[in-house]
Amino acid sequence: MGQQAHRTARRRRLGAELRALREAAKVSPEEAAVAIHGDRSKISRQETGRHRVTRLELDVLLSLYKVKDERTRECLVALASEGHKRSWWRQYGETLRPSFKEGLSLESDATKIRAFQSQVIPGLLQTRPYATAVMTGSDPLPEEELEFYLDLRMERQEVLRREEPPSYMCIMPEGVLRQQIGGAAVMAEQLRRLVGLSQSSEMTIQVTPLSQTTFTCTGGSFDIFSYPDPMGLEVVQVEYLDGALYLEEDEAVTKYGRAWGRLQAAALPAQQSIELIASIARELESE
């Protein structure tokens, strides 16, 4: 599937908003198509997020739909312009699945990321040895392919080191920290990495202790990506064995937001969490 057919969350949101505005203005798809010198299929593709909307086309459509509210126009312009940013992973071409590219796009552009991982340390926080152990244990890959995905995972982590990194919050069960993936030495190094990362003002790491008696049903690991106004967009990424599902509907996003709140309430405060992580690292180093 080519890059043009790759539908990002921003494009879908923009398309849905344009369709709502067109219908409210009682403009037919054919009339809208004539205005931008296209055809009905182009309007359909734009409104379903399968085709980008240029700034000129957006201005024409907003005028046709008689959209005068500056806040609305500003929001839609932001959605359209953000959707055209050049992505650092374009160098990988067709190697990556469209769903994986969408995850990279969400991760790269978000201003706040909330991650719950029920089985492993989140990918953005992994050391290379730990990531190697996770990948080889998940689905054995040829050596060349393994190195490719390891390099990609390490490159993804640059998002946390850029000049204006996103606010990153993650919650993990204590069992994730005690499972010696890759062996004691690899795990100890990984836990020390978490302690070091926690020093950043943009990083919050919390642990749900084994002593916690409250159960929060989440259905598995998930991430919530948040974007600033005027986009006002939140997207939930739910992982499964062969990919990920992206949820944008208000009801679904709200449900996961509530689940996050319950997880956070059940977890240790950040400082106590880091103390526990450091304690487990010391135990591993003494073995």
Side-chain angles (χ1 to χ4, degrees):
M1 183 178 295
Q3 179 66 20
Q4 183 169 325
H6 172 51
R7 298 185 298 167
T8 67
R10 290 184 303 272
R11 281 191 187 178
R12 287 195 297 269
R13 175 67 177 270
L14 174 62
E17 294 289 344
L18 286 175
R19 179 175 180 176
L21 290 170
R22 178 179 59 75
E23 292 177 344
K26 301 188 184 317
V27 174
S28 70
E30 290 80 7
E31 290 171 324
V34 169
I36 62 171
H37 306 290
D39 54 26
R40 182 187 176 117
S41 66
K42 181 174 183 179
I43 292 296
S44 175
R45 292 195 302 274
Q46 288 180 338
E47 292 182 351
T48 53
R50 290 176 295 162
H51 195 286
R52 74 185 185 92
V53 182
T54 69
R55 177 59 189 274
L56 178 59
E57 290 171 340
L58 182 60
D59 288 341
V60 170
L61 292 174
L62 292 181
S63 295
L64 179 64
Y65 303 157
K66 296 181 170 55
V67 178
K68 297 180 180 180
D69 181 74
E70 286 302 318
R71 180 68 173 170
T72 299
R73 296 181 72 96
E74 182 185 358
C75 177
L76 296 178
V77 167
L79 285 169
S81 60
E82 285 293 316
H84 305 156
K85 288 170 59 177
R86 182 169 180 81
S87 306
W88 61 263
W89 57 89
R90 281 191 179 181
Q91 61 183 299
Y92 298 106
E94 298 299 311
T95 306
L96 304 176
R97 295 191 306 269
S99 63
F100 195 84
K101 291 180 183 179
E102 178 143 6
L104 294 175
S105 176
L106 292 169
E107 187 177 83
S108 179
D109 296 342
T111 56
K112 181 168 72 173
I113 302 173
R114 287 171 285 173
F116 170 66
Q117 265 292 349
S118 60
Q119 293 184 300
V120 296
I121 307 294
L124 287 180
L125 310 183
Q126 293 177 4
T127 62
R128 192 179 185 98
Y130 180 87
T132 301
V134 169
M135 289 186 187
T136 54
S138 301
D139 187 15
L141 298 170
E143 184 65 26
E144 184 176 342
E145 192 173 350
L146 174 63
E147 291 301 315
F148 169 82
Y149 281 106
L150 284 170
D151 289 343
L152 181 61
R153 181 159 299 184
M154 296 302 104
E155 190 167 359
R156 282 174 53 202
Q157 296 177 2
E158 289 298 318
V159 71
L160 299 178
R161 292 189 283 267
R162 65 192 186 195
E163 188 173 337
E164 295 184 5
S167 167
Y168 188 87
M169 296 176 281
C170 72
I171 299 174
M172 295 169 280
E174 183 179 341
V176 169
L177 307 175
R178 292 192 177 277
Q179 186 175 5
Q180 296 183 24
I181 294 178
V186 167
M187 198 66 205
E189 178 190 21
Q190 174 62 73
L191 297 182
R192 290 298 182 190
R193 170 79 181 282
L194 296 182
V195 174
L197 288 171
S198 71
Q199 304 306 309
S200 168
S201 60
E202 300 295 336
M203 177 73 62
T204 302
I205 300 173
Q206 290 182 265
V207 178
T208 305
L210 292 174
S211 59
Q212 175 56 242
T213 58
T214 302
F215 172 69
T216 298
C217 180
T218 64
S221 303
F222 65 90
D223 299 279
I224 304 176
F225 300 98
S226 301
Y227 304 86
D229 287 337
M231 285 189 287
L233 178 65
E234 284 198 321
V235 181
V236 177
Q237 174 183 269
V238 181
E239 300 177 0
Y240 57 90
L241 189 60
D242 196 37
L245 180 67
Y246 299 98
L247 308 174
E248 303 161 53
E249 296 77 12
D250 290 342
E251 183 178 354
V253 172
T254 298
K255 184 176 293 186
Y256 275 91
R258 287 199 299 263
W260 173 268
R262 293 194 298 272
L263 286 166
Q264 198 167 39
L268 295 172
Q271 185 56 43
Q272 290 183 35
S273 295
I274 296 305
E275 291 171 359
L276 175 59
I277 293 171
S279 173
I280 298 172
R282 289 193 295 271
E283 292 175 16
L284 292 171
E285 290 165 346
S286 65
E287 290 185 3

